[in-house]
Amino acid sequence: MLGPEEFIKDAIQKIKEQLGDKKAIIGLSGGVDSSVCSVLVQEAIGDNLIAIFVDHGLLREGEVEEVTNTFKDRLNFNYVDASEEFLNALEGVEDPEEKRKIIGKVFIDVFEREAEKTDAKYLVQGTIAPHWIESKGKIKSHHNLALPSGMVLELVEPIRDLYKDEVREIGLLLDLPEKVVHRQPFPGPGLAVRVIGSLTPEKLDICRKANKIVTDEIEKAGIDKDVWQYFAVLTDSKVTGVKGDQRDFGYLVVLRIVDSVDAMTAYVPELPWKVIQTMSQRITSEISEVTHVALSISDKPPSTIEFA
Ligand code: XMP
């Protein structure tokens, strides 16, 4: 096993040899995996790497601006708004695996279209070890692996043998900003796996607002680096509540805050109760469609980190 400095040198050399003067594209999400891959490949082949940031309409609040500002001057960066295409393809779809498959397919359609425009021959992906280990075991279809058989782009996966902590170490050595390196993982299918059941703009909006509150409160409490992931899930359950002296009937939101080393296993850490209370109070008072907030206390296994 190479140390991180040697890994970087070796990876850049291998990418140079494999790609030569050909063009490649990468789906850059702004997460640490695709960011590290983008910078590694950029170091190897320069602007022949076309980084494509796809907005699938399933992103978190402020994410488009954040990712654009971080990378527009460092990479050959292209923003593609495909949100309508994704949301149309997902309309009425309830099954989580079907959602993942549809998202994977539309991603590839978008990439292939962009690749055609750019004459790219390679698709770089930020697949890391837990992704393919879990997909092999058929636990969940990680969108990154859902490549159709007629795929015309050749795949390059420079960090496929690394675990998240190793990717973060390499990110720091590549001078990526702290906030990117320590950004909590966000699944490729985005909020689609955090809204249970079919997606609507209204449900996505509720989920987005709840996630923003969770993020704000975890950051405010200064525990964002102490936990692996923190987010809110909008369930498809409706529960009775009370507003003033009126009966209310709204959504159940679940808080999911877990710690982990590599996402293969995870546990629910002890959390400051005040933080949980504030999240719950803010979610029910600021999001009128939510009547109830619950806290998930299940480890992985038997649960998975995401709810879908
Ligand atoms: P699970 O829910 O399988 O999640 O315990 C393990 C880790 O992977 C993230 N995750 C994904 N990442 N594409 C990704 O790139 C996906 O389809 C996907 N599904 C889950 C999840 O957020 C957690 O960190």
Side-chain angles (χ1 to χ4, degrees), residues 3 12-13 15 58 185 198 269 294 296 303:
I12 292 174
Q13 188 53 34
I15 297 162
L58 304 163
S198 64
S296 161
S303 306

Side-chain angles (χ1 to χ4, degrees), residues 70-111:
T70 307
F71 291 105
K72 66 180 185 337
D73 299 327
R74 182 154 187 192
L75 298 171
N76 183 355
F77 178 87
N78 300 266
Y79 169 72
V80 178
D81 181 1
S83 49
E84 236 182 86
E85 197 172 336
F86 278 92
L87 297 181
N88 285 342
L90 287 162
E91 206 181 323
V93 179
E94 291 182 11
D95 180 70
E97 278 297 282
E98 209 185 319
K99 283 189 205 167
R100 284 170 183 275
K101 285 182 182 140
I102 290 170
I103 292 167
K105 189 192 167 304
V106 179
F107 253 117
I108 298 301
D109 288 349
V110 173
F111 279 138

Side-chain angles (χ1 to χ4, degrees), residues 33 100 126 130-131 134 139-144 164 184-190 193-194 228-229 231 256 258 262-266 300 303-308:
D33 304 340
R100 284 170 183 275
H131 294 166
E134 293 210 343
I139 296 171
K140 287 181 186 179
S141 317
H142 283 264
H143 82 283
N144 343 36
K164 203 70 153 195
Q184 61 167 327
F186 185 60
V193 296
R194 294 183 183 172
W228 172 267
Q229 261 175 306
F231 55 87
R256 183 82 169 134
V258 296
D262 54 16
M264 302 291 285
T265 59
K300 174 182 180 177
S303 306
T304 54
I305 295 178
E306 303 290 346
F307 268 38

Side-chain angles (χ1 to χ4, degrees), residues 37-266:
C37 271
S38 298
V39 173
L40 269 180
V41 179
Q42 166 87 22
E43 300 255 326
I45 66 166
D47 280 356
N48 272 347
L49 174 72
I50 299 130
I52 296 165
F53 173 44
V54 177
D55 181 352
H56 51 17
L58 304 163
L59 297 173
R60 289 164 293 184
E61 208 172 296
E63 201 160 355
V64 170
E65 296 73 21
E66 247 174 62
V67 175
T68 304
N69 291 336
T70 307
F71 291 105
K72 66 180 185 337
D73 299 327
R74 182 154 187 192
L75 298 171
N76 183 355
F77 178 87
N78 300 266
Y79 169 72
V80 178
D81 181 1
S83 49
E84 236 182 86
E85 197 172 336
F86 278 92
L87 297 181
N88 285 342
L90 287 162
E91 206 181 323
V93 179
E94 291 182 11
D95 180 70
E97 278 297 282
E98 209 185 319
K99 283 189 205 167
R100 284 170 183 275
K101 285 182 182 140
I102 290 170
I103 292 167
K105 189 192 167 304
V106 179
F107 253 117
I108 298 301
D109 288 349
V110 173
F111 279 138
E112 286 193 331
R113 235 173 20 231
E114 294 304 315
E116 228 165 88
K117 278 190 218 158
T118 57
D119 196 30
K121 300 283 181 263
Y122 293 90
L123 173 66
V124 183
Q125 284 200 327
T127 313
I128 62 169
H131 294 166
W132 57 264
I133 292 168
E134 293 210 343
S135 288
K136 227 165 148 183
K138 293 265 178 289
I139 296 171
K140 287 181 186 179
S141 317
H142 283 264
H143 82 283
N144 343 36
L145 299 174
L147 304 175
S149 51
M151 172 103 191
V152 293
L153 295 166
E154 206 173 311
L155 209 55
V156 183
E157 295 179 313
I159 57 169
R160 64 171 281 122
D161 293 325
L162 302 183
Y163 285 84
K164 203 70 153 195
D165 51 332
E166 298 169 315
V167 181
R168 289 202 168 115
E169 207 179 336
I170 284 164
L172 285 176
L173 286 171
L174 289 170
D175 270 340
L176 277 167
E178 280 266 339
K179 67 174 193 306
V180 173
V181 171
H182 291 290
R183 197 177 95 151
Q184 61 167 327
F186 185 60
L191 298 181
V193 296
R194 294 183 183 172
V195 172
I196 309 301
S198 64
L199 303 173
T200 62
E202 186 214 24
K203 282 156 113 185
L204 283 167
D205 190 46
I206 297 168
C207 186
R208 207 170 266 129
K209 285 181 182 152
N211 272 281
K212 173 85 170 86
I213 292 171
V214 171
T215 305
D216 281 355
E217 293 304 322
I218 290 277
E219 285 177 358
K220 217 189 288 169
I223 50 175
D224 47 311
K225 281 194 192 151
D226 302 340
V227 287
W228 172 267
Q229 261 175 306
Y230 38 96
F231 55 87
V233 176
L234 178 66
T235 72
D236 56 355
S237 296
K238 284 210 158 185
V239 286
T240 299
V242 58
K243 209 171 262 168
D245 55 1
Q246 293 286 310
R247 177 186 182 272
D248 196 9
F249 194 54
Y251 285 106
L252 168 69
V253 162
V254 177
L255 306 176
R256 183 82 169 134
I257 302 162
V258 296
D259 205 3
S260 176
V261 177
D262 54 16
M264 302 291 285
T265 59

